[in-house]
Every structure is written in structure tokens, then in C-alpha cells.
């Protein structure tokens, strides 16, 4: 028979897990030499969410080093209704080393989802779509929209240009007609379930990784 919760034996307490410690403690041994090291972090420890390569580095030194490695794609997201996905998009852009993140519309955005990565990622504001498109064209960047429109072509088979800006609409309404018209192409992401759309930050991660596969790992599309 199926036992009810009342008849099941009480669960025995499991072993206590060790406390999770973020980062590293104070530097052990003689301090390293170099202007990029942060004396306060060396003395007190580095609890920031950074890769091991940047432990104990000054913040400005980390940004300067990242600037020598950033990829040639940008990411833009429209922000007309304080989209809560922007923080997650910034965090993913940092992970994939986007050149810059562009906020189109309202300047203010919720930084909680960025998990402090916005301190290491260049973020530029454009008050209008026209301001954004004029900037992109002046930089020689192809504007690539990501959305499900009747004229969208599959991201999976589109050869993303090396120098481009991937543009995402906010949750719900998606890309505005102005961005759709300005885009060199609008790409859709293949979906196989019952929903008509996916979370904007998830779509951004997929598109960014598509650029990385093509231009970092040399995977050609079919």
C-alpha cells in the first residue's frame, strides 16, 4: 500500500555540511610584486566572485586586462519598462567577454541579477533607438535582432558576423518595430515545446554562445 505522510518514519538528520567559503583568505608567504596587486586584499583575503587568475588583483587592473581580451560582439537590450532580465544579460555578457552591453531606453535597470559583474563589464546607455542605431553604424557594427518574427531566420543556420551587436527586446513585447526595421537580420531560436517564447536572458545566453562557437571555436554553420 501507499503510506501516508503520517505513517512514514521520521527522517534521520543527515551529516552537517561544511560551511561554504567564498574566495580565499589572506596571502600566505612573501607578498608578490607588481602594481596590479591590491594590498588590502592581500592582507585581508579576496572574497569577490572572480576567477582564480584575478585573485588579489585591483579592480581597475582586472578591467584593464579584460579590455585586452574582449570579443568583437556587443549586446543590447531595450529597457522601456524596467526589464528585470537586464542584470542576467549583463552577467552572461561578462562570462562570454562581450565588448560592451548597451541599454536602450530607460537608464535605470535592476543590477541585482548582474551579481556585481557590471563592475567589470562596460555598459553604455542610449536614450532612443535612433541614438543606438546611429552609434552602431558609426562603429561599423551589424545590428542583429533576436526575436520571433515572420521574417526571422534561424539562429542555428545563420552565419553571425564577427563585428555585430545582438539586440534583444524586453520580456513580453519583444523587439520594438524601430529595432526590427533597423536590423540587418532578425534571428529566431528553435523551440520544440508548447510555449511561444523563452526568457529574454536565456535567449541572450544562447545567441552569445552562438557567436562564441562560430568565432572562437571556428564552428561553421550548415
Amino acid at each position: 500500500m501507499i503510506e501516508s505522510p503520517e505513517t512514514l518514519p521520521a527522517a534521520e538528520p543527515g551529516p552537517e555540511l561544511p560551511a561554504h567559503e567564498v574566495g580565499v583568505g589572506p596571502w600566505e608567504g612573501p607578498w608578490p610584486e607588481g602594481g596590479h596587486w591590491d594590498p588590502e586584499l592581500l592582507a585581508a583575503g579576496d572574497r569577490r566572485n572572480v576567477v582564480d587568475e584575478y585573485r588579489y588583483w585591483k579592480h581597475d587592473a582586472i578591467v584593464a586586462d579584460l579590455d585586452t581580451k574582449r570579443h568583437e560582439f556587443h549586446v543590447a537590450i531595450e529597457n522601456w519598462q524596467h526589464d528585470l532580465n537586464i542584470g542576467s544579460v549583463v552577467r552572461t555578457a561578462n562570462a562570454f567577454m562581450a565588448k560592451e552591453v548597451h541599454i536602450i531606453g530607460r537608464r535605470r535597470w535592476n543590477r541585482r541579477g548582474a551579481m556585481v559583474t557590471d563592475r567589470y563589464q562596460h555598459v553604455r546607455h542610449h536614450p532612443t533607438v535612433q541614438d543606438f542605431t546611429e552609434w552602431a553604424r558609426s562603429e561599423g557594427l551589424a545590428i542583429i535582432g533576436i526575436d520571433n518574427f515572420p521574417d526571422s531566420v534561424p539562429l542555428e543556420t545563420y552565419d553571425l558576423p564577427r563585428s555585430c551587436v545582438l539586440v534583444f527586446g524586453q520580456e513580453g513585447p519583444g523587439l520594438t518595430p524601430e529595432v526590427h526595421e533597423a536590423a540587418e537580420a532578425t534571428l529566431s531560436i528553435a523551440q520544440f515545446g508548447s510555449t511561444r517564447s523563452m526568457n529574454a536572458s536565456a535567449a541572450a545566453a544562447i545567441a552569445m554562445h552562438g557567436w562564441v562557437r562560430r568565432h572562437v571555436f571556428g564552428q561553421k554553420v550548415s
Side-chain angles (χ1 to χ4, degrees), residues 36-114:
H36 61 288
W37 300 106
D38 188 317
E40 293 185 7
L41 295 176
L42 290 169
D46 189 350
R47 305 298 179 183
R48 300 172 299 176
N49 181 23
V50 297
V51 296
D52 290 344
E53 177 185 357
Y54 293 133
R55 290 294 181 203
Y56 305 107
W57 281 38
K58 296 176 181 177
H59 169 261
D60 290 346
I62 294 176
V63 175
D65 190 64
L66 290 173
D67 285 345
T68 67
K69 306 173 182 177
R70 297 190 194 276
H71 293 138
E72 296 177 51
F73 76 94
H74 297 240
V75 176
I77 185 166
E78 296 190 89
N79 183 37
W80 308 110
Q81 301 173 357
H82 291 303
D83 195 320
L84 298 178
N85 289 288
I86 293 178
S88 296
V89 172
V90 171
R91 183 179 181 183
T92 305
N94 172 269
F96 290 133
M97 199 79 80
K99 178 84 69 177
E100 287 185 340
V101 174
H102 302 264
I103 311 297
I104 307 170
R106 295 186 177 186
R107 180 182 293 274
R108 296 185 62 184
W109 54 280
N110 190 326
R111 285 169 165 75
R112 181 175 299 178

Coordinates of all heavy atoms in Angstrom, one line a residue, residues 36-114:
H36 N 49.6 45.6 -10.1 CA 48.2 45.1 -10.2 C 47.7 44.5 -8.9 O 46.5 44.2 -8.7 CB 48.0 44.1 -11.3 CG 48.9 42.9 -11.2 ND1 50.3 42.9 -11.3 CD2 48.6 41.6 -10.9 CE1 50.7 41.7 -11.2 NE2 49.7 40.9 -10.9
W37 N 48.6 44.2 -7.9 CA 48.2 43.6 -6.7 C 47.5 44.6 -5.7 O 48.0 45.7 -5.7 CB 49.3 42.9 -6.0 CG 50.0 41.8 -6.8 CD1 51.2 41.9 -7.5 CD2 49.5 40.5 -7.1 NE1 51.5 40.7 -8.1 CE2 50.4 39.9 -7.9 CE3 48.3 39.9 -6.7 CZ2 50.3 38.6 -8.4 CZ3 48.1 38.5 -7.2 CH2 49.1 37.9 -8.0
D38 N 46.5 44.2 -5.0 CA 45.8 45.1 -4.1 C 46.3 44.8 -2.7 O 46.0 43.7 -2.2 CB 44.3 44.8 -4.2 CG 43.5 45.8 -3.4 OD1 43.8 46.1 -2.3 OD2 42.4 46.3 -3.9
P39 N 47.0 45.7 -2.0 CA 47.5 45.4 -0.7 C 46.4 45.1 0.3 O 46.6 44.2 1.2 CB 48.2 46.8 -0.3 CG 48.5 47.4 -1.6 CD 47.3 47.0 -2.5
E40 N 45.2 45.7 0.2 CA 44.1 45.4 1.2 C 43.7 43.9 1.0 O 43.4 43.2 2.0 CB 43.0 46.3 1.0 CG 43.3 47.8 1.4 CD 42.1 48.7 1.3 OE1 41.0 48.2 1.1 OE2 42.3 49.9 1.5
L41 N 43.5 43.5 -0.2 CA 43.1 42.1 -0.5 C 44.2 41.1 -0.1 O 43.8 40.0 0.5 CB 42.7 41.9 -1.9 CG 41.5 42.8 -2.4 CD1 41.4 42.6 -3.9 CD2 40.3 42.4 -1.7
L42 N 45.4 41.4 -0.3 CA 46.5 40.5 0.1 C 46.5 40.4 1.6 O 46.7 39.3 2.2 CB 47.8 41.1 -0.3 CG 48.1 41.1 -1.8 CD1 49.4 41.9 -2.1 CD2 48.3 39.6 -2.3
A43 N 46.2 41.4 2.4 CA 46.2 41.4 3.8 C 44.9 40.7 4.4 O 45.0 40.0 5.4 CB 46.3 42.8 4.4
A44 N 43.8 41.0 3.8 CA 42.5 40.5 4.4 C 41.9 39.3 3.7 O 41.0 38.7 4.2 CB 41.5 41.7 4.4
G45 N 42.3 39.0 2.5 CA 41.7 38.0 1.7 C 40.8 38.6 0.6 O 40.4 39.7 0.7
D46 N 40.5 37.7 -0.4 CA 39.8 38.2 -1.6 C 38.5 37.3 -1.7 O 38.5 36.1 -2.0 CB 40.6 38.0 -2.8 CG 39.9 38.7 -4.1 OD1 38.7 39.0 -4.0 OD2 40.6 38.8 -5.1
R47 N 37.4 37.9 -1.3 CA 36.1 37.2 -1.3 C 35.2 37.5 -2.5 O 34.0 37.2 -2.5 CB 35.3 37.5 0.0 CG 36.1 37.2 1.2 CD 36.5 35.7 1.4 NE 37.3 35.4 2.6 CZ 37.8 34.3 2.9 NH1 37.6 33.2 2.1 NH2 38.5 34.1 4.0
R48 N 35.8 38.1 -3.5 CA 35.0 38.5 -4.7 C 34.7 37.3 -5.6 O 35.4 36.3 -5.6 CB 35.7 39.6 -5.5 CG 36.0 40.9 -4.7 CD 37.0 41.8 -5.5 NE 38.2 41.1 -5.8 CZ 39.2 41.7 -6.5 NH1 39.0 42.9 -7.1 NH2 40.3 41.0 -6.7
N49 N 33.7 37.5 -6.4 CA 33.3 36.5 -7.4 C 34.1 36.7 -8.7 O 33.6 37.1 -9.7 CB 31.8 36.5 -7.7 CG 31.4 35.5 -8.7 OD1 32.1 34.4 -8.9 ND2 30.3 35.7 -9.4
V50 N 35.4 36.3 -8.6 CA 36.3 36.4 -9.8 C 37.0 35.1 -10.0 O 37.2 34.3 -9.0 CB 37.3 37.6 -9.6 CG1 36.6 38.9 -9.5 CG2 38.2 37.4 -8.4
V51 N 37.5 34.9 -11.2 CA 38.3 33.7 -11.4 C 39.6 33.7 -10.7 O 40.1 34.8 -10.3 CB 38.5 33.5 -13.0 CG1 37.2 33.3 -13.7 CG2 39.3 34.6 -13.6
D52 N 40.2 32.5 -10.5 CA 41.4 32.5 -9.7 C 42.5 33.4 -10.3 O 43.4 33.9 -9.6 CB 41.9 31.0 -9.7 CG 41.0 30.1 -8.8 OD1 40.2 30.7 -8.0 OD2 41.1 28.9 -8.9
E53 N 42.6 33.5 -11.6 CA 43.6 34.3 -12.3 C 43.6 35.8 -11.7 O 44.7 36.4 -11.6 CB 43.4 34.4 -13.8 CG 44.3 35.3 -14.5 CD 44.0 35.4 -16.0 OE1 43.0 34.7 -16.4 OE2 44.6 36.1 -16.7
Y54 N 42.5 36.3 -11.3 CA 42.4 37.6 -10.8 C 42.3 37.8 -9.3 O 42.0 38.9 -8.8 CB 41.2 38.3 -11.4 CG 41.3 38.5 -12.9 CD1 40.2 38.2 -13.8 CD2 42.4 39.0 -13.5 CE1 40.3 38.3 -15.2 CE2 42.5 39.2 -14.9 CZ 41.5 38.8 -15.7 OH 41.6 39.0 -17.1
R55 N 42.6 36.7 -8.6 CA 42.6 36.8 -7.1 C 43.6 37.8 -6.6 O 44.8 37.8 -7.1 CB 42.8 35.5 -6.5 CG 41.7 34.4 -6.6 CD 40.5 34.9 -5.8 NE 39.4 33.9 -5.9 CZ 38.2 34.2 -5.7 NH1 37.8 35.4 -5.4 NH2 37.3 33.2 -5.8
Y56 N 43.2 38.7 -5.7 CA 44.1 39.7 -5.1 C 44.4 40.9 -6.1 O 45.2 41.7 -5.7 CB 45.4 39.1 -4.6 CG 45.2 38.0 -3.6 CD1 45.5 36.6 -4.0 CD2 44.8 38.2 -2.3 CE1 45.3 35.6 -3.1 CE2 44.6 37.1 -1.4 CZ 44.9 35.8 -1.8 OH 44.7 34.8 -0.9
W57 N 43.9 40.9 -7.3 CA 44.1 42.0 -8.2 C 43.3 43.2 -7.8 O 42.1 43.1 -7.4 CB 43.8 41.6 -9.6 CG 44.8 40.7 -10.3 CD1 45.6 39.7 -9.8 CD2 45.2 40.8 -11.7 NE1 46.4 39.1 -10.7 CE2 46.1 39.8 -11.9 CE3 44.8 41.6 -12.8 CZ2 46.7 39.6 -13.2 CZ3 45.3 41.4 -14.0 CH2 46.3 40.4 -14.2
K58 N 43.8 44.4 -8.1 CA 43.0 45.6 -8.0 C 41.9 45.5 -9.1 O 42.0 45.0 -10.2 CB 43.8 46.8 -8.3 CG 44.9 47.1 -7.2 CD 45.8 48.3 -7.6 CE 46.9 48.5 -6.6 NZ 47.8 49.6 -7.0
H59 N 40.7 46.2 -8.7 CA 39.6 46.2 -9.7 C 40.0 46.8 -11.0 O 39.7 46.2 -12.1 CB 38.4 46.9 -9.0 CG 37.3 47.2 -10.0 ND1 37.2 48.5 -10.6 CD2 36.3 46.5 -10.5 CE1 36.1 48.4 -11.4 NE2 35.6 47.2 -11.3
D60 N 40.6 47.9 -11.0 CA 41.0 48.6 -12.2 C 41.9 47.8 -13.1 O 41.9 47.8 -14.3 CB 41.6 50.0 -12.0 CG 40.6 51.0 -11.4 OD1 39.4 50.7 -11.5 OD2 41.0 52.0 -10.9
A61 N 42.8 47.0 -12.4 CA 43.7 46.2 -13.1 C 43.0 45.0 -13.8 O 43.4 44.6 -14.9 CB 44.8 45.6 -12.2
I62 N 42.0 44.5 -13.2 CA 41.2 43.4 -13.8 C 40.5 43.9 -15.0 O 40.5 43.3 -16.1 CB 40.2 42.9 -12.8 CG1 40.9 42.2 -11.6 CG2 39.2 41.9 -13.5 CD1 39.9 41.7 -10.5
V63 N 39.8 45.1 -14.9 CA 39.1 45.7 -16.1 C 40.1 45.9 -17.2 O 39.8 45.6 -18.4 CB 38.4 46.9 -15.7 CG1 37.7 47.6 -16.9 CG2 37.3 46.6 -14.6
A64 N 41.3 46.5 -16.9 CA 42.2 46.8 -17.9 C 42.7 45.5 -18.6 O 42.9 45.5 -19.9 CB 43.4 47.5 -17.3
D65 N 42.9 44.4 -17.9 CA 43.3 43.2 -18.5 C 42.2 42.6 -19.4 O 42.4 42.1 -20.5 CB 43.7 42.2 -17.4 CG 44.4 40.9 -18.0 OD1 45.5 41.1 -18.6 OD2 43.8 39.8 -17.9
L66 N 40.9 42.7 -18.9 CA 39.8 42.2 -19.7 C 39.7 43.0 -21.0 O 39.3 42.4 -22.0 CB 38.5 42.3 -18.9 CG 38.3 41.4 -17.7 CD1 37.1 41.7 -16.9 CD2 38.3 39.9 -18.2
D67 N 40.0 44.3 -20.9 CA 39.9 45.1 -22.1 C 40.8 44.6 -23.3 O 40.6 45.0 -24.4 CB 40.2 46.6 -21.8 CG 39.0 47.2 -21.1 OD1 37.9 46.6 -21.1 OD2 39.2 48.3 -20.5
T68 N 41.9 43.9 -22.9 CA 42.8 43.4 -23.9 C 42.3 42.1 -24.6 O 42.9 41.7 -25.5 CB 44.2 43.2 -23.3 OG1 44.1 42.1 -22.4 CG2 44.7 44.4 -22.6
K69 N 41.2 41.6 -24.0 CA 40.8 40.2 -24.5 C 39.3 40.2 -25.0 O 38.8 39.2 -25.4 CB 40.9 39.2 -23.3 CG 42.2 39.1 -22.6 CD 42.2 38.3 -21.4 CE 43.5 38.2 -20.7 NZ 43.4 37.4 -19.4
R70 N 38.6 41.3 -24.8 CA 37.2 41.3 -25.2 C 36.9 40.9 -26.6 O 37.7 41.3 -27.5 CB 36.6 42.7 -24.8 CG 36.6 43.0 -23.4 CD 35.8 44.2 -23.0 NE 36.1 44.7 -21.7 CZ 35.6 44.3 -20.6 NH1 34.7 43.3 -20.6 NH2 36.0 44.8 -19.4
H71 N 35.8 40.3 -26.8 CA 35.4 39.8 -28.2 C 34.8 41.0 -29.0 O 34.6 42.1 -28.4 CB 34.5 38.7 -28.1 CG 35.1 37.4 -27.5 ND1 34.5 36.6 -26.6 CD2 36.3 36.9 -27.7 CE1 35.3 35.6 -26.3 NE2 36.4 35.7 -27.0
E72 N 34.6 40.7 -30.2 CA 34.1 41.8 -31.1 C 32.6 41.9 -31.2 O 32.1 42.7 -32.1 CB 34.7 41.6 -32.5 CG 36.2 41.6 -32.6 CD 36.8 41.3 -33.9 OE1 36.3 42.0 -34.9 OE2 37.7 40.5 -34.0
F73 N 31.9 41.2 -30.4 CA 30.4 41.4 -30.4 C 30.0 42.2 -29.2 O 30.6 42.2 -28.2 CB 29.7 40.0 -30.5 CG 29.7 39.3 -29.1 CD1 28.6 39.5 -28.3 CD2 30.7 38.5 -28.8 CE1 28.5 38.8 -27.1 CE2 30.7 37.8 -27.6 CZ 29.6 38.0 -26.7
H74 N 28.9 43.0 -29.4 CA 28.2 43.7 -28.4 C 26.8 43.1 -28.1 O 26.3 42.4 -29.0 CB 28.1 45.2 -28.8 CG 29.3 45.9 -29.1 ND1 29.7 47.0 -28.4 CD2 30.3 45.7 -30.0 CE1 30.9 47.5 -28.8 NE2 31.3 46.7 -29.8
V75 N 26.3 43.5 -27.0 CA 24.9 43.1 -26.7 C 24.1 44.3 -26.3 O 24.6 45.2 -25.6 CB 24.9 42.1 -25.5 CG1 23.5 41.7 -25.1 CG2 25.7 40.9 -25.8
A76 N 22.9 44.4 -26.8 CA 22.0 45.5 -26.5 C 20.6 44.9 -26.1 O 20.2 43.9 -26.6 CB 21.8 46.4 -27.7
I77 N 20.0 45.6 -25.1 CA 18.7 45.2 -24.7 C 17.8 46.4 -24.5 O 18.3 47.5 -23.9 CB 18.7 44.3 -23.4 CG1 17.3 43.8 -23.0 CG2 19.4 45.1 -22.3 CD1 17.3 42.7 -22.0
E78 N 16.6 46.4 -25.0 CA 15.7 47.5 -24.8 C 15.1 47.5 -23.4 O 14.8 46.5 -22.8 CB 14.6 47.4 -25.9 CG 15.1 47.6 -27.3 CD 14.0 47.7 -28.3 OE1 13.6 48.8 -28.6 OE2 13.5 46.7 -28.8
N79 N 15.0 48.7 -22.8 CA 14.5 48.8 -21.4 C 13.5 50.0 -21.3 O 13.8 51.0 -20.8 CB 15.8 49.1 -20.5 CG 15.4 49.2 -19.1 OD1 14.6 48.5 -18.6 ND2 16.0 50.2 -18.4
W80 N 12.3 49.7 -21.8 CA 11.2 50.7 -21.7 C 10.4 50.5 -20.5 O 9.6 51.4 -20.1 CB 10.4 50.6 -23.0 CG 11.2 50.7 -24.2 CD1 11.4 49.6 -25.1 CD2 11.9 51.8 -24.7 NE1 12.3 50.0 -26.1 CE2 12.6 51.4 -25.9 CE3 12.1 53.1 -24.3 CZ2 13.4 52.2 -26.6 CZ3 12.9 53.9 -25.0 CH2 13.6 53.5 -26.2
Q81 N 10.4 49.3 -19.8 CA 9.6 49.0 -18.7 C 10.3 48.4 -17.5 O 9.9 47.6 -16.8 CB 8.4 48.1 -19.1 CG 7.5 48.6 -20.2 CD 6.5 47.6 -20.7 OE1 6.5 46.4 -20.2 NE2 5.7 48.0 -21.6
H82 N 11.6 48.8 -17.4 CA 12.5 48.3 -16.3 C 12.5 46.8 -16.3 O 12.1 46.1 -15.4 CB 12.0 48.8 -14.9 CG 12.2 50.2 -14.7 ND1 13.4 50.8 -14.8 CD2 11.3 51.2 -14.3 CE1 13.3 52.1 -14.5 NE2 12.0 52.4 -14.3
D83 N 13.0 46.2 -17.4 CA 13.1 44.8 -17.6 C 14.0 44.2 -16.6 O 15.1 44.6 -16.4 CB 13.6 44.5 -19.0 CG 13.4 43.0 -19.4 OD1 13.6 42.2 -18.6 OD2 13.1 42.8 -20.6
L84 N 13.5 43.2 -15.8 CA 14.3 42.5 -14.8 C 15.3 41.6 -15.3 O 16.2 41.1 -14.5 CB 13.3 41.8 -13.8 CG 12.3 42.6 -13.1 CD1 11.4 41.8 -12.2 CD2 13.0 43.7 -12.2
N85 N 15.3 41.3 -16.6 CA 16.3 40.4 -17.2 C 17.7 41.0 -17.5 O 18.6 40.3 -17.7 CB 15.8 39.8 -18.5 CG 14.6 38.9 -18.3 OD1 14.8 37.8 -17.9 ND2 13.4 39.3 -18.7
I86 N 17.7 42.3 -17.4 CA 19.0 43.0 -17.8 C 20.1 42.6 -17.0 O 21.2 42.4 -17.5 CB 18.8 44.5 -17.8 CG1 17.7 45.0 -18.9 CG2 20.1 45.3 -18.0 CD1 17.4 46.4 -18.9
G87 N 20.0 42.5 -15.7 CA 21.1 42.0 -14.8 C 21.7 40.7 -15.3 O 22.9 40.5 -15.3
S88 N 20.8 39.8 -15.6 CA 21.3 38.4 -16.0 C 22.0 38.5 -17.4 O 22.9 37.8 -17.6 CB 20.1 37.5 -16.2 OG 19.5 37.2 -14.9
V89 N 21.5 39.4 -18.3 CA 22.1 39.6 -19.6 C 23.5 40.1 -19.4 O 24.5 39.7 -20.0 CB 21.3 40.5 -20.5 CG1 22.0 40.9 -21.8 CG2 19.9 39.9 -20.8
V90 N 23.7 41.1 -18.5 CA 25.0 41.7 -18.2 C 25.9 40.6 -17.7 O 27.1 40.5 -18.0 CB 24.9 42.9 -17.2 CG1 26.3 43.3 -16.8 CG2 24.1 44.0 -17.9
R91 N 25.4 39.8 -16.8 CA 26.3 38.7 -16.2 C 26.7 37.8 -17.2 O 27.9 37.4 -17.3 CB 25.5 38.0 -15.1 CG 26.3 36.9 -14.4 CD 25.4 36.2 -13.3 NE 26.2 35.2 -12.6 CZ 25.7 34.4 -11.6 NH1 24.4 34.6 -11.3 NH2 26.4 33.5 -11.0
T92 N 25.8 37.4 -18.2 CA 26.2 36.5 -19.2 C 27.2 37.1 -20.2 O 28.1 36.5 -20.7 CB 25.0 36.0 -20.0 OG1 24.1 35.4 -19.0 CG2 25.3 34.9 -21.0
A93 N 27.0 38.4 -20.5 CA 27.9 39.1 -21.4 C 29.3 39.2 -20.8 O 30.3 39.1 -21.5 CB 27.3 40.6 -21.6
N94 N 29.4 39.3 -19.5 CA 30.7 39.3 -18.9 C 31.3 37.9 -19.0 O 32.5 37.8 -19.3 CB 30.6 39.6 -17.4 CG 31.8 39.4 -16.6 OD1 32.0 38.3 -16.0 ND2 32.7 40.4 -16.6
A95 N 30.5 36.8 -18.9 CA 31.0 35.5 -19.0 C 31.6 35.2 -20.4 O 32.6 34.5 -20.5 CB 29.9 34.5 -18.6
F96 N 30.9 35.7 -21.4 CA 31.3 35.5 -22.8 C 32.2 36.6 -23.3 O 32.5 36.6 -24.5 CB 30.1 35.3 -23.7 CG 29.3 34.0 -23.4 CD1 27.9 33.9 -23.3 CD2 30.0 32.8 -23.3 CE1 27.3 32.8 -23.0 CE2 29.3 31.6 -23.0 CZ 28.0 31.6 -22.9
M97 N 32.6 37.5 -22.5 CA 33.5 38.6 -22.8 C 33.0 39.5 -24.0 O 33.7 39.7 -25.0 CB 34.9 38.0 -23.2 CG 36.0 39.0 -23.1 SD 36.6 39.3 -21.5 CE 37.6 37.8 -21.2
A98 N 31.8 39.9 -23.9 CA 31.2 40.9 -24.8 C 32.0 42.2 -24.7 O 32.5 42.6 -23.6 CB 29.8 41.1 -24.6
K99 N 32.1 42.9 -25.8 CA 32.8 44.2 -25.8 C 32.1 45.2 -24.9 O 32.7 45.8 -24.0 CB 32.9 44.7 -27.2 CG 33.6 46.1 -27.4 CD 35.1 46.0 -27.4 CE 35.6 45.4 -28.7 NZ 37.1 45.4 -28.8
E100 N 30.8 45.3 -25.1 CA 30.0 46.2 -24.3 C 28.6 45.7 -24.2 O 28.1 45.0 -25.1 CB 30.0 47.7 -24.9 CG 31.3 48.4 -24.7 CD 31.1 49.9 -25.2 OE1 30.2 50.2 -26.0 OE2 31.9 50.7 -24.9
V101 N 27.9 46.2 -23.2 CA 26.4 46.0 -23.1 C 25.8 47.3 -23.3 O 26.2 48.3 -22.7 CB 26.0 45.4 -21.8 CG1 24.5 45.3 -21.7 CG2 26.6 44.0 -21.6
H102 N 24.7 47.4 -24.1 CA 24.0 48.7 -24.4 C 22.6 48.6 -23.9 O 21.9 47.7 -24.1 CB 24.0 48.9 -25.9 CG 25.4 49.0 -26.4 ND1 26.1 50.1 -26.6 CD2 26.3 48.0 -26.8 CE1 27.3 49.9 -27.1 NE2 27.4 48.6 -27.2
I103 N 22.2 49.6 -23.1 CA 20.8 49.7 -22.6 C 20.1 50.8 -23.4 O 20.6 51.9 -23.4 CB 20.8 50.1 -21.1 CG1 21.8 49.2 -20.3 CG2 19.4 50.1 -20.5 CD1 21.4 47.8 -20.2
I104 N 19.1 50.4 -24.1 CA 18.3 51.3 -24.9 C 17.0 51.7 -24.2 O 16.2 50.8 -23.9 CB 18.0 50.7 -26.3 CG1 19.2 50.1 -27.0 CG2 17.3 51.7 -27.2 CD1 18.9 49.3 -28.2
G105 N 16.8 53.0 -24.0 CA 15.6 53.4 -23.3 C 15.9 54.0 -22.0 O 16.7 54.9 -21.8
R106 N 15.3 53.4 -20.9 CA 15.5 54.0 -19.6 C 16.9 53.6 -19.1 O 17.4 52.5 -19.3 CB 14.5 53.4 -18.6 CG 13.0 53.8 -18.9 CD 12.1 53.3 -17.9 NE 10.7 53.7 -18.1 CZ 9.7 53.5 -17.3 NH1 9.9 52.9 -16.2 NH2 8.5 54.0 -17.6
R107 N 17.5 54.6 -18.4 CA 18.9 54.4 -18.0 C 18.9 53.5 -16.8 O 19.9 52.7 -16.6 CB 19.5 55.8 -17.6 CG 20.9 55.7 -17.1 CD 21.4 57.1 -16.7 NE 21.5 58.0 -17.8 CZ 22.6 58.1 -18.6 NH1 23.7 57.3 -18.3 NH2 22.6 58.9 -19.6
R108 N 18.0 53.6 -15.9 CA 18.0 52.8 -14.7 C 17.6 51.3 -15.0 O 16.7 51.1 -15.7 CB 17.1 53.4 -13.6 CG 17.5 54.7 -13.1 CD 16.6 55.2 -12.0 NE 16.7 54.3 -10.8 CZ 15.9 54.4 -9.7 NH1 15.0 55.4 -9.7 NH2 16.1 53.6 -8.7
W109 N 18.3 50.4 -14.4 CA 18.0 49.0 -14.5 C 18.3 48.2 -13.2 O 19.2 48.7 -12.5 CB 18.7 48.4 -15.7 CG 20.2 48.5 -15.8 CD1 20.9 49.6 -16.2 CD2 21.2 47.6 -15.4 NE1 22.2 49.4 -16.1 CE2 22.4 48.2 -15.6 CE3 21.1 46.3 -14.9 CZ2 23.6 47.5 -15.3 CZ3 22.3 45.6 -14.6 CH2 23.5 46.2 -14.8
N110 N 17.7 47.1 -13.0 CA 17.9 46.3 -11.8 C 19.2 45.6 -11.9 O 19.4 44.7 -12.7 CB 16.7 45.4 -11.6 CG 16.8 44.7 -10.2 OD1 17.8 44.4 -9.7 ND2 15.6 44.4 -9.7
R111 N 20.2 46.0 -11.0 CA 21.5 45.4 -11.1 C 21.7 44.1 -10.3 O 22.7 43.5 -10.3 CB 22.6 46.4 -10.6 CG 22.8 47.5 -11.7 CD 23.6 48.6 -11.1 NE 24.2 49.5 -12.2 CZ 23.5 50.3 -12.9 NH1 22.2 50.5 -12.7 NH2 24.1 51.0 -13.8
R112 N 20.6 43.7 -9.6 CA 20.8 42.5 -8.7 C 21.2 41.3 -9.4 O 22.0 40.5 -9.0 CB 19.5 42.3 -7.9 CG 19.5 41.1 -7.0 CD 18.2 41.0 -6.2 NE 18.0 42.2 -5.4 CZ 16.9 42.4 -4.6 NH1 16.0 41.4 -4.6 NH2 16.8 43.5 -3.9
G113 N 20.6 41.1 -10.6 CA 20.9 39.9 -11.4 C 22.3 39.8 -11.9 O 22.7 38.8 -12.4
A114 N 22.9 41.0 -12.0 CA 24.3 41.1 -12.6 C 25.3 40.5 -11.6 O 26.4 40.2 -12.0 CB 24.6 42.5 -12.9

